[in-house]
Amino acid sequence: MSGADVFHRDFKPRPYWWEAFEPKPMALAEVPKSARVAIVGAGYAGISTAIELANAGIEAVVLEAKEPGWGASTRSGGAVSGGVNVGKSFSGRTFQGTPEQIAAVLNSAADAFSLIESLIEREEIDCFWQKHGRFVGAWTPGHYENQAKRIEKLNRDAQSGSYMVPRERQREEIASDYYYGGMVVERAAKLHPALYFKGLLDAARRRGVTICAQAPVERIARNGSGWEIRTGRGTVTAGDVVIATNGYTGDATPQLKRRLIPVASHIIATEELPPDLAKSLIPKGRTLSDTRRVLCYYRMSPDGKRVIFGGRARFTAVTPEVAAPILHGFMTERFPQLQGTKVTHAWNGNVAFTFDALPHTGRQDGMHYALGCNGSGVAMMTYLGHQTARRIIGGANRPSGFELPEFPDHPLYSGNPWFLPVVGSWYRFRDWYDRRVA
């Protein structure tokens, strides 16, 4: 099938999720002159921070460059892991720390899963929350062996309910022979990311949180013991500042921008499939991903009628018209039975990776931050925002495993990921070579 042939006649270059909730222009709230806390970024992390602060009676204003949820929060694949991806960089390598550090990280990842589940229940968020687990396909036999070595840690420290599935039983998980077996993570889930964000946004509004759309932050400067934040629509002074911009971190915070590598993630949605075919692809309704460096992740839509398929079509943003045929090819490599299936939606969003492959919350030059989802944004950014708020309130029960003494940068990196096309080509070669010699 040629690239042009993959597109449905009603193709839309926008997120499939926006059919249910689209971040649209809202009545512009005036930027207040002052606030106890100013939060930069109205995605999962920023809104989560605001909700927790409001619960403690602390006034906050949320400043957003576009519309609340315009970024990755309404563009992701909607998978929610319980720690299986934490510490995995975009190169495929995993965090190498002491046993104590690894345990703390996995404990916090487990807490992130618990938090999102409790938020959905408490705020009565209707977002198709489904705890059907995840299957992570092994790209090579060696990857399968490496997965098996992680099982004990994941089950002990993240309560993940993980176990291995050999290749001869793989079709219990996926209607494909593409992988060399893989790992099941029972404590994993999926949801509708845009409806989940809408639920958080509604919860913040119920609490009276001021959310200022179309107020891009241009400058942040010390103002005595507090801060002065200049936006495109006015200036606010605040006692504390929280940076929650993740993959869209900009020049207003260069000291944080150079610690984050924004990587584009591209996603497609297929047309509705014949019912029998749709039911057969992922028999247990899990989310799926794999161990490749240039990974893919996929699932069925909430109604079970479409495939939602994402991955690194390119490491930088390209148009949906360019990305969709590439992802369609990846999809049909795994599911040859989907040859001829058309794409109705294609979109992209930025994922923020860090140099140590870990999410981070803490303080940099006096500013609080919740950054670095590393591909696990739904639960992780919600959790980092919550933890940042608890630190401001002064009521955290214990330090998060992501509140680390160092947030590493690189002396040759200023925040411009010019090298990503070269890196992407190298990783694709490495994936090809690993598979060839497997």
Side-chain angles (χ1 to χ4, degrees):
M1 178 179 281
S2 67
D5 289 339
V6 308
F7 295 103
H8 193 274
R9 62 181 179 276
D10 297 325
F11 171 74
K12 298 176 183 179
R14 55 180 256 143
Y16 167 72
W17 310 122
W18 288 8
E19 301 297 327
F21 172 77
E22 179 180 357
K24 292 182 177 179
M26 54 193 291
L28 294 183
E30 183 178 348
V31 176
K33 298 296 183 183
S34 64
R36 169 64 184 82
V37 181
I39 302 166
V40 184
Y44 293 144
I47 300 300
S48 174
T49 305
I51 289 171
E52 189 64 17
L53 290 173
N55 288 342
I58 295 177
E59 174 198 20
V61 59
V62 184
L63 306 169
E64 169 57 43
K66 296 185 181 291
E67 309 302 330
W70 178 88
S73 293
T74 58
R75 298 169 183 261
S76 80
V80 184
S81 69
V84 64
N85 280 339
V86 171
K88 181 180 178 180
S89 75
F90 66 89
S91 70
R93 290 184 298 179
T94 56
F95 169 67
Q96 301 296 319
T98 66
E100 293 76 19
Q101 289 172 326
I102 293 172
V105 163
L106 291 176
N107 285 166
S108 292
D111 289 345
F113 189 92
S114 298
L115 172 66
I116 196 171
E117 190 168 29
S118 65
L119 266 174
I120 289 169
E121 181 178 1
R122 186 187 75 197
E123 302 299 332
E124 299 181 344
I125 300 175
D126 186 5
C127 61
F128 297 95
W129 172 253
Q130 298 173 330
K131 291 175 65 175
H132 292 169
R134 175 184 293 219
F135 176 73
V136 186
W139 177 238
T140 69
H143 289 188
Y144 182 90
E145 293 174 6
N146 289 335
Q147 286 179 311
K149 293 175 182 176
R150 296 187 64 208
I151 291 289
E152 182 181 356
K153 289 180 183 177
L154 286 172
N155 289 340
R156 182 186 65 233
D157 298 324
Q159 300 88 52
S160 66
S162 298
Y163 59 88
M164 298 304 296
V165 176
R167 194 176 197 185
E168 57 268 23
R169 291 180 50 208
Q170 182 169 283
R171 282 187 168 260
E172 297 174 15
E173 304 294 336
I174 176 175
S176 173
D177 298 317
Y178 188 74
Y179 299 114
Y180 286 86
M183 176 173 64
V184 165
V185 181
E186 290 285 6
R187 195 170 189 254
K190 58 185 176 182
L191 49 63
H192 189 302
L195 290 179
Y196 170 62
F197 176 79
K198 178 183 182 296
L200 291 182
L201 187 64
D202 290 345
R205 286 173 171 160
R206 286 195 297 270
R207 290 163 171 79
V209 175
T210 300
I211 302 171
C212 299
Q214 300 179 37
V217 172
E218 300 169 348
R219 182 174 180 271
I220 302 174
R222 281 284 192 181
N223 181 11
S225 60
W227 298 89
E228 182 178 88
I229 303 96
R230 187 180 72 200
T231 80
R233 294 202 296 111
T235 299
V236 57
T237 58
D240 282 294
V241 175
V242 176
I243 307 301
T245 43
N246 207 40
Y248 300 86
T249 301
D251 294 335
T253 54
Q255 65 273 57
L256 294 171
K257 182 180 179 182
R258 69 172 182 261
R259 289 171 163 81
L260 299 167
I261 305 167
V263 176
S265 194
H266 300 267
I267 307 180
I268 59 173
T270 70
E271 63 186 327
E272 292 189 6
L273 304 174
D276 289 348
L277 175 59
K279 290 179 182 178
S280 71
L281 295 175
I282 309 172
K284 297 179 182 177
R286 304 196 194 280
T287 55
L288 287 91
S289 60
D290 53 43
T291 61
R292 291 179 54 171
R293 294 172 180 85
V294 186
L295 67 83
C296 292
Y297 51 92
Y298 43 110
R299 53 171 287 188
M300 301 304 294
S301 57
D303 61 9
K305 296 180 179 180
R306 306 167 186 258
V307 174
I308 308 295
F309 194 97
R312 311 280 185 257
R314 293 285 188 272
F315 274 50
T316 54
V318 294
T319 66
E321 290 77 7
V322 172
I326 297 171
L327 291 176
H328 190 277
F330 292 164
M331 179 181 72
T332 53
E333 285 176 356
R334 290 155 178 79
F335 295 120
Q337 58 270 52
L338 294 181
Q339 289 283 353
T341 300
K342 303 292 188 179
V343 173
T344 59
H345 299 74
W347 67 99
N348 64 62
N350 285 352
V351 177
F353 284 90
T354 59
F355 285 99
D356 60 1
L358 291 177
H360 284 263
T361 177
R363 299 182 74 170
Q364 177 71 36
D365 299 332
M367 290 185 291
H368 298 270
Y369 57 80
L371 300 166
C373 67
N374 288 274
S376 298
V378 180
M380 192 53 60
M381 298 314 296
T382 303
Y383 173 77
L384 294 181
H386 178 273
Q387 289 297 114
T388 300
R390 297 310 303 170
R391 186 169 59 250
I392 293 171
I393 295 165
N397 294 326
R398 59 186 173 89
S400 165
F402 305 116
E403 193 168 344
L404 301 162
E406 292 187 21
F407 192 171
D409 60 2
H410 193 283
L412 299 180
Y413 180 67
S414 62
N416 175 20
W418 59 267
F419 49 83
L420 285 179
V422 176
V423 170
S425 296
W426 172 242
Y427 289 160
R428 287 185 183 90
F429 170 77
R430 291 288 304 279
D431 283 336
W432 171 84
Y433 182 77
D434 287 351
R435 183 84 159 195
R436 183 179 178 84
V437 301

